[in-house]
């Protein structure tokens, strides 16, 4: 291989290595957490356990938070027709923020047979941080309205957070102190994945990527000069 081609190949490899390191920087820390629900229904108390998944996606100046149930909770003694059940829930905020975030979703898209665990659709809401910092999101109370009745399901096992979000407020101000969650609520869509997890890890990975890129460029320059000397 000629020196110019070898130089170009090394420079390209270094650039790709730097990009790969940057792209693998952790964007979120999310866990599927088992939540033990105690549901107060119109016909008595029922219990259910469901793994809960919470995800965050950047949306404008805030984040779209989506809460998902992997198993059904509670049940109805009669069939619930299409659109008869309306779910909503709260998510408890912790870390750099406090309070709750309201999330909601569509009614059931298909009929739910009697005495069958009710599958909750994905619920979402918009979280708008006032200050930057790591915020945790933990499953709170689930409310199911159907046929003029209300069922309230409350976690009883003090579940761990399902999501830790390195939230960035508009303007990029940073603070580890608590802030009000009064701006939370509603729904939104679109956006890019937020940065979550240790911020210093992302910075370190970015620095490593830059180092690889500079090292590759330096090697390419050395080979170029060596080629020019050899031709002389």
């Amino acid at each position: 291989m000629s020196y110019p081609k070898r130089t170009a190949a090394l420079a390209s490899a270094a650039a790709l290595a730097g990009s790969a390191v940057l792209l693998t920087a952790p964007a979120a820390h999310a866990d599927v957490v088992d939540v033990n629900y105690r549901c107060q229904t119109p016909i008595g108390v029922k219990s259910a356990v469901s793994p809960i998944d919470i995800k965050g996606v950047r949306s404008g100046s805030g984040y779209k938070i989506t809460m998902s149930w992997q198993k059904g909770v509670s049940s109805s003694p009669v069939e619930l027709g299409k659109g008869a059940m309306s779910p909503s829930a709260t998510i408890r905020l912790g870390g750099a923020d406090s309070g709750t975030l309201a999330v909601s979703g569509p009614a059931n898209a298909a009929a739910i047979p009697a005495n069958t665990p009710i599958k909750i659709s994905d619920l979402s809401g918009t979280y708008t941080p006032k200050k930057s910092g790591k915020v945790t999101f933990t499953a709170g109370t689930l409310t199911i309205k159907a046929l003029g009745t209300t069922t309230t399901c409350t976690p009883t096992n003090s579940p761990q957070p399902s999501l830790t979000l390195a939230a960035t407020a508009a303007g990029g101000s940073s603070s580890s102190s608590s802030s009000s969650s009064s701006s939370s609520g509603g729904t939104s869509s679109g956006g890019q994945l937020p940065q979550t997890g240790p911020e210093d890890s992302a910075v370190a990975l970015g620095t490593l990527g830059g180092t690889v890129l500079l090292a590759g460029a330096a090697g390419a320059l050395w080979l170029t000069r060596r080629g020019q000397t050899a031709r002389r």
Side-chain angles (χ1 to χ4, degrees):
M1 180 184 294
S2 66
Y3 283 116
K5 290 183 178 179
R6 186 178 301 172
T7 298
L10 285 173
S12 298
L16 289 173
S19 299
V21 171
L22 289 173
L23 288 174
T24 55
H29 177 72
D31 293 310
V32 177
V33 177
D34 287 339
V35 179
N36 296 346
Y37 280 108
R38 180 184 185 275
C39 299
Q40 184 65 54
T41 78
I43 59 173
V45 175
K46 294 182 177 292
S47 298
V49 178
S50 178
I52 300 296
D53 183 22
I54 300 177
K55 289 184 172 62
V57 178
R58 187 79 195 194
S59 177
S61 60
Y63 298 86
K64 179 182 179 181
I65 305 299
T66 301
M67 186 179 190
S68 303
W69 278 259
Q70 297 189 2
K71 289 184 179 180
V73 298
S74 190
S75 62
S76 171
V78 298
E79 179 179 282
L80 298 178
K82 178 181 178 181
M85 184 271 294
S86 177
S88 61
T90 59
I91 297 175
R92 293 187 290 110
L93 305 177
D97 206 344
S98 61
T100 58
L101 169 68
V103 291
S104 59
N108 55 307
I112 302 173
N115 301 312
T116 301
I118 297 174
K119 178 64 173 70
I120 306 299
S121 59
D122 288 354
L123 307 182
S124 61
T126 299
Y127 170 66
T128 305
K130 291 186 177 180
K131 294 182 180 180
S132 300
K134 292 182 181 179
V135 181
T136 60
F137 297 78
T138 305
T141 301
L142 167 66
T143 301
I144 302 172
K145 293 185 177 182
L147 304 179
T149 66
T150 299
T151 293
T152 303
C153 299
T154 306
T156 60
N157 61 329
S158 300
Q160 296 298 309
S162 296
L163 172 67
T164 299
L165 176 69
T168 303
S173 60
S174 179
S175 173
S176 59
S177 61
S178 297
S179 60
S180 171
S181 61
S182 59
S183 59
S184 303
T187 59
S188 183
S189 61
Q192 61 186 24
L193 287 175
Q195 285 190 346
T196 58
E199 295 178 353
D200 52 350
S201 298
V203 173
L205 286 170
T207 303
L208 176 60
T211 301
V212 172
L213 180 60
L214 290 175
L221 179 61
W222 180 81
L223 286 174
T224 300
R225 291 180 176 176
R226 181 180 176 185
Q228 292 175 348
T229 301
R231 287 195 294 272
R232 292 173 185 172

